[in-house]
Amino acid sequence: MPTVLDRFIQQAVLQVLTPMFDPAFSESSFGYRPGRCAQDAVAAGRDHVEAGFRWVVDMDVEKFFDRVNHDVLMARVARKVKDKRLLTLIRAYLNAGIMVEGVVQPRNEGTPQGGPLSPLLSNILLDDLDKELERRGHRFCRYADDANIYVRSQAAGERVMVSMGRFLEQRLRLKLNRNKSVVDRPWKRTFLGYSMTPNKEPKLKVSRDALKRAKGDLRQLFREGRGRSLRRVIGEVNQFTRGWVGYFRLAQTKNVFEETDEWLRRRCRWLLWRQWKKPRTRFKKMVQFGLDRERAGPSAYNGRGPWWSAGASHMNASVPAAWLAVQGLLSLAVMQSRLAVDA
């Protein structure tokens, strides 16, 4: 990671270079640019599919930030930057060594990750790719090194994959990741965490992988909360879900948010069941929550695991959704609906 002073200098350089380069970048480039975001790229991709371009060339550049050729990049920076002192400074950052276990290792390729300047340098290099795609009349969306090119047929997609792979290798000294780059239907692929439905007018949705990662992070929050109050855990969960729903505010399929709400409520009940520990404590707590004693007794001593019990009717009756809402648990479905209206 760059030092504080290096980050300060890189930020100053970024503020000078951005007005020079950004206005000439492609309208189909969305990553790390002022006034643009991932949601803009996703919405543009959906529009291309709706227009009839129902095959996508999903291109992934292999280890992009580690494989950038310094000479190729500096040649493109020098097209607009004529001050040799600034060019020398940028080259120095590119060539700066990497500290590994206390030993400095030289770097002959790649950009300094973690610094403010790297995203702009990546856009400067890949702008040649954008211009080539525009010259050929292709519809595409690029966010950093993730590029989706939309075509009308699988055959056209295969041709584009081969020709653009050749362009990257010969002109930019980059290499396609053949294992991750494919030609497929857009609704079978993931772009920036989103997928879409196969309808004639496709709807955006949260991808399976994005939902799986989110549940993994939330599951870890609950595991770490076994010795803490439910309110405190809910506060941490809300902090995560606000950001997650904010990112996926464009999703048009609501069921994923409703199902995740049910999953979160079950996780809260799971946590309480684990915290109550002993059967007699569980019996006492369920009675306190309003469950009748005849029903609470067999439920407390059922011998089943915490996750099964958290989804059983006795815990749903003891700890209803309304009570969890009073404790502060936010509804993803409600948050997403409000954000969708604002958008």
Side-chain angles (χ1 to χ4, degrees):
M1 296 292 290
T3 65
V4 174
L5 179 59
D6 284 335
R7 286 198 296 271
F8 176 81
I9 296 172
Q10 286 189 33
Q11 182 64 37
V13 173
L14 176 69
Q15 291 178 198
V16 172
L17 295 187
T18 298
M20 296 173 60
F21 286 93
D22 191 80
F25 285 157
S26 169
E27 286 298 311
S28 298
S29 169
F30 297 91
Y32 311 121
R33 297 185 59 191
R36 289 170 169 250
C37 61
Q39 287 86 349
D40 295 332
V42 171
R46 177 195 57 196
D47 292 343
H48 293 324
V49 176
E50 187 174 349
F53 296 81
R54 297 173 70 82
W55 286 88
V56 63
V57 182
D58 190 347
M59 295 174 56
D60 183 87
V61 181
E62 185 174 302
K63 298 181 179 179
F64 172 73
F65 287 98
D66 295 329
R67 297 284 177 83
V68 169
N69 184 283
H70 292 173
D71 293 333
V72 174
L73 173 58
M74 289 306 301
R76 280 143 184 80
V77 174
R79 290 172 180 172
K80 293 189 177 182
V81 177
K82 304 305 179 183
D83 190 323
K84 292 184 178 180
R85 295 170 300 175
L86 182 53
L87 292 173
T88 300
L89 177 62
I90 296 173
R91 169 73 81 162
Y93 277 123
L94 292 174
N95 291 336
I98 305 171
M99 186 76 74
V100 179
E101 297 181 354
V103 179
V104 177
Q105 297 183 359
R107 178 169 55 195
N108 300 316
E109 60 181 3
T111 59
Q113 296 187 48
L117 195 55
S118 247
L120 177 62
L121 294 178
S122 68
N123 276 334
I124 291 173
L125 180 63
L126 291 174
D127 187 54
D128 275 24
L129 172 65
D130 299 341
K131 294 299 190 290
E132 181 66 15
L133 289 169
E134 289 177 342
R135 187 185 69 80
R136 299 184 185 191
H138 290 306
R139 296 194 178 209
F140 69 97
C141 298
R142 183 180 65 79
Y143 192 94
D145 58 329
D146 289 329
N148 277 5
I149 306 169
Y150 298 90
V151 294
R152 292 188 182 274
S153 69
Q154 184 177 9
E158 298 291 352
R159 289 195 298 270
V160 170
M161 177 73 79
V162 172
S163 62
M164 296 316 299
R166 188 185 308 118
F167 175 86
L168 284 173
E169 292 179 8
Q170 295 178 355
R171 292 283 297 276
L172 301 182
R173 307 284 182 85
L174 296 171
K175 188 177 180 181
L176 274 183
N177 187 329
R178 300 294 178 180
N179 294 325
K180 294 184 179 180
S181 299
V182 298
V183 177
D184 206 346
R185 294 292 194 178
W187 47 88
K188 295 182 180 180
R189 304 299 299 169
T190 296
F191 184 46
L192 301 176
Y194 280 85
S195 186
M196 64 180 73
T197 64
N199 306 55
K200 186 175 181 180
E201 296 182 1
K203 295 182 178 180
L204 293 174
K205 64 179 184 178
V206 181
S207 71
R208 294 179 183 177
D209 289 342
L211 181 60
K212 184 178 178 180
R213 287 193 297 271
K215 284 188 174 181
D217 292 338
L218 288 166
R219 193 178 288 112
Q220 185 60 32
L221 286 177
F222 280 103
R223 285 173 181 163
E224 294 172 354
R226 293 179 187 176
R228 291 177 287 174
S229 68
L230 180 61
R231 276 184 178 272
R232 182 177 173 184
V233 175
I234 285 176
E236 295 175 356
V237 168
N238 287 344
Q239 185 176 358
F240 177 91
T241 55
R242 282 193 190 99
W244 191 79
V245 173
Y247 181 81
F248 288 105
R249 63 183 179 273
L250 296 185
Q252 297 164 290
T253 52
K254 311 299 182 184
N255 60 314
V256 65
F257 299 102
E258 295 168 353
E259 291 170 2
T260 306
D261 276 337
E262 294 178 5
W263 183 85
L264 279 174
R265 290 192 289 268
R266 186 171 179 178
R267 273 285 154 192
C268 289
R269 297 177 184 119
W270 171 88
L271 181 62
L272 288 175
W273 192 262
R274 292 297 298 262
Q275 289 178 342
W276 293 344
K277 293 183 179 179
K278 298 181 179 180
R280 63 174 178 270
T281 304
R282 291 166 179 168
F283 171 78
K284 179 181 177 181
K285 289 292 185 180
M286 284 189 287
V287 171
Q288 289 177 354
F289 273 89
L291 196 67
D292 61 85
R293 300 175 69 89
E294 290 75 15
R295 189 177 176 189
S299 299
Y301 291 87
N302 64 56
R304 299 289 191 118
W307 185 244
W308 183 91
S309 296
S313 59
H314 58 266
M315 279 300 283
N316 280 269
S318 302
V319 187
W323 184 86
L324 290 172
V326 171
Q327 306 311 302
L329 184 65
L330 297 177
S331 167
L332 277 68
V334 172
M335 284 192 288
Q336 198 277 337
S337 296
R338 290 173 178 171
L339 289 172
V341 170
D342 293 339

